[in-house]
Amino acid sequence: MNFKSLLLGSVAGLLAVGGAQAADLPVKAKAVEYVKICSLYGAGFYYMPGTDTCIKLGGYLRADAIFGGSGDYGFNYSTAAANGGSNNRLTNYYYTRARMDLTVDTRTATEYGVVRTYADMIFSYDTANVTGSAPSAFSAGNPSLGLYHAFIQFAGFTMGRTVSIFDAPWQSYPAGGPDTIPGGSNHVTGINQLAYTADFGQGITGSIALEEPTTQSNGQGNLWNTSGFASPLAAATALINGSSYGSSNWGGTRSPDIVGAIRVDQAWGLAQFSAAAHNLHAAYFGTTEPTGHPSDKWGWAVQGSLSIKNIPTGAGDSINLQAVYTDGMSKENFQVLFPATFFMFSGTGVPGAYQSVGLAGIADGVFGAGTSIETVKTWGVRGGYTHNWSPNWVTGIYGGYGALSYGTNSKALICGVFASIANPGATCNPDFNFGVVGVNTVWTPVKNLAFTADLSYSMLDQKFSGTVTAPALLGTAAKPAAVYELKDQNSLTLMLRAQRTF
């Protein structure tokens, strides 16, 4: 019995020791999850660890220096917030910008097709503008954040913010160039929308979209109410100080823009036809409800775009062309980065005149007290040619031209304001044409690092003539009350850019 107890005790002791030794052994480490390349959607995609979603991060860092331009790269115009076209000591001779762009692209394969999300975020710091003639008129600089794209794509639907399906694939840059080339639409900064695209095969697609008309600050032209000023002097001052032909009298939104496009993509290039409809919904004739309002009116626009690739002048060379016509939807021609109103001063040869001034105001429609809305009509063309001298050197030549015409009733209402400052012999016509031509060269010494020089010439062909006796513009342009010649204007702008894409 004693032997049996001793044996059992020894076995129990050995088991206890064995258990303790087993507990002291190191636990087996989890397998390391390495980031895997996702080759389904092109270069740069990786699987997000632990998921079947592929992600790609990208973007660029850019530094710009602009000589002769005002605000965004383009025509040296003036508005109430910038004095480029004042052409005096308030005018900036150069303008700089530093910008970082960050893109996030995700793709997930599902039984319904690929689910995609895409975001494009912009971080910029711009040179301060002179906004007036006081010592404190310099702003403290212009840091800004932008969200150009933020959308979900699923089963042919696009929901969120991106470029308009009305646009040509190159936006308003047929071969590079400034932000003020007329002759077609440009929503490169994005527009909120719900769109559906059907793929018919053989490179043929069709799209339809509901788009937000007020997403961009300049996304629609003015809707002038010519009875919106307190006095003739106030109206005349507004006319000279930025070509405001009335108060811009939009009401609340009643309908999104309705947009459609048919596109053909082939080895030779692409062709696209797009159309859009835009609701003109005014507020009131006066400041309160009992003053009444005009009935709504629909504007529209059509655009054709053509790109021809690999032309005989060299591999990679291309020609991009487009043409547009609008009726009550002027910003599909004078695009969203173009100012809605502006003026420009320069010298004059007219005896007794202080200086000359050119005026331009972009509108979708015009109405006065008790009248209906009369739409504004425009047409434009735009094109560019890109030539590859070598893998490291590329040159682009581009141009654009747009014309805007007010209707008979609109001119009568606007010219009633003009008459208060017109001198004998002056003629009133708020129509105008605007053209841009330019050339650029891009040097890419190493992959994804580019240096660009872009030179553009812009001309405003305004239709007012004669002279006016204008009130003083002390706050924005430091111009005295004086006689001014109404005259065409032009500017020359050079942009130098360094950009690293990643």
Side-chain angles (χ1 to χ4, degrees):
M1 192 67 180
N2 291 336
F3 177 77
K4 183 178 180 181
S5 298
L6 179 62
L7 182 61
L8 290 173
S10 300
V11 171
L14 289 172
L15 290 173
V17 171
Q21 290 175 340
D24 292 338
L25 289 175
V27 177
K28 185 177 180 182
K30 255 186 170 181
V32 176
E33 291 188 357
Y34 294 98
V35 176
K36 295 188 297 182
I37 293 174
C38 175
S39 58
L40 298 174
Y41 310 111
F45 280 92
Y46 295 87
Y47 283 102
M48 298 174 67
T51 75
D52 57 356
T53 296
C54 300
I55 187 170
K56 178 180 180 180
L57 302 177
Y60 63 78
L61 197 144
R62 172 187 295 173
D64 290 345
I66 299 162
F67 302 89
S70 176
D72 287 330
Y73 170 43
F75 185 60
N76 200 21
Y77 58 84
S78 276
T79 66
N83 287 303
S86 300
N87 280 322
N88 58 17
R89 295 184 66 84
L90 303 181
T91 302
N92 290 333
Y93 280 14
Y94 69 92
Y95 180 88
T96 61
R97 167 178 289 167
R99 169 173 287 177
M100 179 179 177
D101 174 275
L102 177 63
T103 61
V104 182
D105 191 349
T106 73
R107 318 276 181 99
T108 306
T110 74
E111 60 268 34
Y112 299 101
V114 175
V115 177
R116 183 190 185 197
T117 68
Y118 185 83
D120 183 3
M121 296 151 283
I122 297 290
F123 311 88
S124 298
Y125 194 92
D126 294 1
T127 296
N129 266 320
V130 178
T131 56
S133 56
S136 60
F138 259 113
S139 64
N142 299 291
S144 61
L145 302 176
L147 184 64
Y148 288 2
H149 303 267
F151 63 81
I152 300 168
Q153 285 183 326
F154 175 67
F157 287 93
T158 299
M159 299 156 281
R161 183 178 181 86
T162 188
V163 299
S164 172
I165 65 171
F166 189 86
D167 294 351
W170 50 86
Q171 305 299 311
S172 66
Y173 315 104
D179 291 331
T180 51
I181 304 178
S185 64
N186 177 26
H187 297 87
V188 68
T189 56
I191 188 168
N192 293 354
Q193 62 186 272
L194 170 64
Y196 177 76
T197 299
D199 189 340
F200 302 111
Q202 305 298 315
I204 302 173
T205 58
S207 301
I208 188 168
L210 302 177
E211 300 182 350
E212 168 58 56
T214 59
T215 300
Q216 176 76 24
S217 60
N218 286 331
Q220 52 190 359
N222 293 288
L223 182 55
W224 297 128
N225 179 358
T226 60
S227 61
F229 289 110
S231 67
L233 178 61
T237 302
L239 189 151
I240 295 297
N241 187 7
S243 312
S244 296
Y245 303 143
S247 58
S248 193
N249 205 207
W250 288 101
T253 55
R254 290 296 181 270
S255 172
D257 290 348
I258 303 169
V259 187
I262 296 291
R263 177 166 159 175
V264 179
D265 284 275
Q266 304 287 347
W268 54 264
L270 68 88
Q272 177 177 301
F273 176 80
S274 46
H278 175 58
N279 180 244
L280 279 66
H281 176 79
Y284 299 99
F285 292 123
T287 57
T288 61
E289 295 173 358
T291 60
H293 59 81
S295 299
D296 287 13
K297 183 168 283 190
W298 281 86
W300 55 274
V302 291
Q303 180 173 259
S305 307
L306 176 67
S307 180
I308 304 173
K309 300 177 181 178
N310 297 318
I311 57 179
T313 55
D317 290 6
S318 64
I319 295 175
N320 295 327
L321 302 169
Q322 64 191 108
V324 65
Y325 182 86
T326 76
D327 184 350
M329 205 171 180
S330 300
K331 279 295 190 172
E332 301 305 281
N333 184 1
F334 297 94
Q335 35 94 5
V336 296
L337 296 178
F338 203 97
T341 60
F342 62 92
F343 59 90
M344 184 173 181
F345 291 87
S346 66
T348 181
V350 174
Y354 175 70
Q355 288 180 349
S356 67
V357 62
L359 306 173
I362 300 171
D364 290 343
V366 180
F367 67 95
T371 74
S372 60
I373 297 172
E374 184 175 54
T375 55
V376 177
K377 298 174 175 58
T378 82
W379 63 268
V381 293
R382 178 191 291 160
Y385 164 64
T386 300
H387 175 62
N388 292 266
W389 302 99
S390 73
N392 304 102
W393 290 92
V394 178
T395 294
I397 301 172
Y398 57 83
Y401 187 85
L404 182 145
S405 301
Y406 287 88
T408 302
N409 294 335
S410 300
K411 288 178 179 177
L413 292 169
I414 293 169
C415 292
V417 173
F418 177 83
S420 65
I421 58 173
N423 293 323
T427 59
C428 174
N429 186 349
D431 298 350
F432 71 89
N433 305 326
F434 190 87
V436 178
V437 293
V439 60
N440 62 66
T441 294
V442 182
W443 175 46
T444 307
V446 296
K447 186 178 180 180
N448 295 330
L449 176 64
F451 298 93
T452 302
D454 193 311
L455 182 67
S456 64
Y457 173 81
S458 302
M459 182 174 180
L460 169 64
D461 174 21
Q462 55 102 62
K463 303 303 181 182
F464 293 105
S465 66
T467 64
V468 295
T469 300
L473 302 178
L474 301 179
T476 56
K479 300 296 182 181
V483 174
Y484 292 88
E485 178 192 7
L486 297 164
K487 181 183 176 183
D488 298 344
Q489 305 291 333
N490 58 73
S491 73
L492 189 67
T493 303
L494 172 67
M495 182 199 71
L496 303 178
R497 169 174 292 168
Q499 179 168 313
R500 173 75 165 96
T501 304
F502 56 88

